[in-house]
Amino acid sequence: MTATPVTADPILQVDHLSMKFGGLVAIGDLSFQARRGEITALIGPNGAGKTTVFNCITGFYKPSEGMITMTTRAGKQFLLERLPDYQIPAKAKVARTFQNIRLFSGMTLLENLLVAQHNKLMLASGYTILGLLGFPTYRKASLESIELAKFWLEKANLIDRADDPAGDLPYGAQRRLEIARAMCTGPELLCLDEPAAGLNPRESLELNTLLMDIRNSTGTSILLIEHDMSVVMQISDHVVVLEYGRKISDGDPNSVKNDPRVIAAYLGVDDEEVTEVLAEVRDEQVIEQFDGEPDRAHGPANSASMMAGPISETIAHSDADGEVVKVSGQASRSKDAE
């Protein structure tokens, strides 16, 4: 595989994303970008809304407001909030893993990675009949799928156990197998939800090695949620910090690590203490947010949620295939929210 050169171009652009569950605002006016060929970490205390963001990106939730734009290497743009969930991996080339391991435990490691390629294999088999008759097109596709599965088992340092049931693997190895399975779908953006959760230091090191290899050898962009700061600080190019569904910091790992807002959020101090910390660095804008009364000139209207924040006019929506088409404002509001 050939790596794509790292550029400053965003592969994922999140604009004014809000997700509301009745009166609860899980995500309020969130904007950030993940750049192509980089590892972007989405971090924050428990309940900050990180997994909700992932669920919006990967189609499990349709956001209440906002745009999520995915730009492929070919230059095609897709608004993910407009795509059916099953088309997000197929067309927009976005793959993900979950907090809880979701392997086929009774199947072998090799079979788990072949399952990830079932669309290609089913198409080559003519939806069963060509495969049963042993047509050359199916045999060729089958061999290619096996080779790809072996390639990622090698990368994950699991090739020696290719014929073992996935359920027999240690926990850390199962995590790496999940990532290898996701890579068999050929993603351009790989979303990992707490991949280092429950790993010991040796397993965390193996995970870091795999993720760095994926970035460097394939050019695949990675967006990850992680609580293990040793993982985040060692491998991330860009870090976005959430608290209560809002972005409080955005930058390189060193600047985020030393941001007093991030320190205060992770220490769990109360609002008065946060204000004192912010006053020391003269962050008047964030201090005003803690006062509880939004800026009426730039914030939400009286009828909006106080947490929702301003939503800019949308300048694009997608057609039936999810590709971006330029139109007038308000196209970003999902039908579910109307």
Side-chain angles (χ1 to χ4, degrees):
M1 293 190 180
T2 303
T4 299
V6 175
T7 70
D9 297 332
I11 185 172
L12 182 76
Q13 181 74 44
V14 176
D15 292 305
H16 302 289
L17 179 68
S18 290
M19 185 69 216
K20 306 171 188 175
F21 300 95
L24 173 66
V25 180
I27 302 294
D29 194 24
L30 174 64
S31 297
F32 72 92
Q33 63 178 220
R35 293 186 289 270
R36 187 175 304 280
E38 291 189 354
I39 297 178
T40 302
L42 191 62
I43 69 173
N46 287 329
K50 304 180 296 297
T51 297
T52 300
V53 174
F54 260 39
N55 286 339
C56 290
I57 291 170
T58 54
F60 285 84
Y61 296 154
K62 292 301 180 184
S64 305
E65 295 172 329
M67 285 199 311
I68 307 171
T69 307
M70 174 73 186
T71 305
T72 66
R73 289 181 185 133
K76 285 187 176 182
Q77 288 189 324
F78 297 92
L79 290 183
L80 302 186
E81 78 277 6
R82 293 282 176 171
L83 280 178
D85 54 2
Y86 65 90
Q87 289 186 359
I88 290 176
K91 289 188 173 183
K93 303 297 182 184
V94 178
R96 78 170 289 181
T97 64
F98 296 84
Q99 290 182 21
N100 299 319
I101 291 175
R102 299 189 181 186
L103 295 170
F104 297 102
S105 59
M107 298 172 67
T108 68
L109 277 62
L110 182 64
E111 288 169 341
N112 267 273
L113 269 58
L114 291 176
V115 166
Q117 304 174 68
H118 72 281
N119 284 339
K120 176 176 67 178
L121 291 170
M122 287 298 291
L123 184 63
S125 73
Y127 296 93
T128 301
I129 185 65
L130 298 182
L132 289 174
L133 297 176
F135 270 53
T137 53
Y138 176 73
R139 291 201 303 271
K140 181 174 182 291
S142 179
L143 289 173
E144 289 175 350
S145 296
I146 292 172
E147 287 304 310
L148 182 61
K150 288 181 177 178
F151 174 84
W152 283 110
L153 287 175
E154 288 271 13
K155 289 282 190 181
N157 196 25
L158 295 170
I159 190 65
D160 292 343
R161 304 197 62 175
D163 296 323
D164 292 347
D168 289 352
L169 290 179
Y171 186 77
Q174 290 189 32
R175 285 285 187 188
R176 297 199 307 279
L177 180 61
E178 274 200 317
I179 294 170
R181 183 177 63 180
M183 289 304 300
C184 282
T185 66
E188 294 189 24
L189 178 66
L190 177 62
C191 298
L192 306 176
D193 195 346
E194 297 194 30
L199 303 189
N200 61 40
R202 180 183 58 79
E203 291 170 334
S204 292
L205 179 60
E206 289 178 320
L207 173 69
N208 286 2
T209 301
L210 175 60
L211 297 185
M212 294 291 285
D213 190 17
I214 288 172
R215 184 193 66 177
N216 295 335
S217 66
T218 71
T220 301
S221 307
I222 298 174
L223 178 65
L224 63 89
I225 295 170
E226 190 50 67
H227 285 290
D228 188 335
M229 289 299 103
S230 65
V231 172
V232 171
M233 295 302 162
Q234 287 175 22
I235 69 173
S236 299
D237 302 293
H238 177 210
V239 180
V240 178
V241 189
L242 299 185
E243 185 183 30
Y244 300 121
R246 286 202 178 259
K247 183 173 73 176
I248 61 171
S249 190
D250 187 346
D252 64 81
N254 281 333
S255 64
V256 166
K257 180 174 63 175
N258 296 314
D259 190 326
R261 293 166 296 189
V262 177
I263 296 169
Y266 271 92
L267 288 175
V269 299
D270 61 30
D271 288 356
E272 285 133 8
E273 291 175 293
V274 171
T275 305
E276 290 173 9
V277 174
L278 296 175
E280 292 180 7
V281 293
R282 301 185 182 281
D283 195 332
E284 300 296 337
Q285 180 181 355
V286 180
I287 292 172
E288 183 179 340
Q289 292 177 8
F290 276 98
D291 289 338
E293 180 66 19
D295 181 356
R296 296 299 179 183
H298 302 93
N302 289 333
S303 60
S305 167
M306 300 291 266
M307 290 288 289
I311 305 298
S312 65
E313 288 190 359
T314 302
I315 59 171
H317 73 83
S318 58
D319 60 17
D321 292 327
E323 293 192 35
V324 170
V325 179
K326 302 296 182 182
V327 293
S328 59
Q330 294 302 320
S332 66
R333 186 183 296 272
S334 73
K335 292 181 180 179
D336 295 339
E338 294 175 355

